[in-house]
Amino acid sequence: MFIALLLICWPLLELFVAFEVSQLIGVTWTVLLILFSVPLGMWAVRSQGRAVWRRLADGIAIGRPPARDVLDGALVLIGGMLFILPGFVSDVFGALLLLPPSRAGVRRLLVRNFQGRFVRRVGGFSTGRAYDVESTATDVDSPRLGR
């Protein structure tokens, strides 16, 4: 439901923002800004992608787990795709994912959000049953039937 709403509202928001920007700076400048964002986005993806790839290779060389660098690479890729899409709202979100400081914030948010879900799902804690995590349970002899 959220994705369907997003697919409907996003283009409407992009059109509204483009219309407002064209009222401020003119239609010609608005179109030029939208067209200029494509090569700028490709350049940003290329440069940030190289930096992420270099950190990934360096981390693997010293034996560091590559999870952070892989997530950074995925965020750079998503940011580049958003930057290449026509529109100002997608450019803002794309730029936020391409800039290292804001990308770090998004990465922390994603890790915090998905880590809890992953632990609950893998650990089976989402079933609502009580578990003895500290291993303090003791065996109790069950009464025999028929006595």
Side-chain angles (χ1 to χ4, degrees), residues 94-133:
L96 287 174
L97 289 177
L98 288 173
L99 296 172
S102 57
R103 184 173 61 231
V106 171
R107 182 183 59 241
R108 278 192 300 270
L109 182 70
L110 286 174
V111 167
R112 188 176 337 131
N113 188 23
F114 288 117
Q115 190 174 23
R117 288 182 187 183
F118 180 74
V119 168
R120 281 193 308 271
R121 187 160 293 164
V122 169
F125 294 115
S126 62
T127 61
R129 295 181 293 190
Y131 290 96
D132 186 19
V133 178

Side-chain angles (χ1 to χ4, degrees), residues 10-61:
W10 190 282
L12 294 175
L13 181 64
E14 290 282 10
L15 285 172
F16 174 75
V17 171
F19 179 75
E20 292 297 319
V21 169
S22 69
Q23 294 292 324
L24 290 173
I25 65 173
V27 174
T28 305
W29 286 109
T30 302
V31 170
L32 287 175
L33 279 174
I34 290 173
L35 291 176
F36 180 69
S37 71
V38 173
L40 183 64
M42 291 190 322
W43 171 80
V45 167
R46 192 174 307 135
S47 66
Q48 287 301 308
R50 276 192 213 125
V52 168
W53 186 259
R54 196 173 318 111
R55 282 195 312 270
L56 176 66
D58 292 344
I60 290 174

Side-chain angles (χ1 to χ4, degrees), residues 42-98:
M42 291 190 322
W43 171 80
V45 167
R46 192 174 307 135
S47 66
Q48 287 301 308
R50 276 192 213 125
V52 168
W53 186 259
R54 196 173 318 111
R55 282 195 312 270
L56 176 66
D58 292 344
I60 290 174
I62 63 171
R64 187 180 69 218
R68 177 180 174 225
D69 299 319
V70 170
L71 186 55
D72 268 355
L75 290 175
V76 164
L77 183 63
I78 292 169
M81 288 189 305
L82 285 173
F83 213 92
I84 292 171
L85 287 174
F88 293 109
V89 177
S90 61
D91 287 351
V92 168
F93 284 117
L96 287 174
L97 289 177
L98 288 173

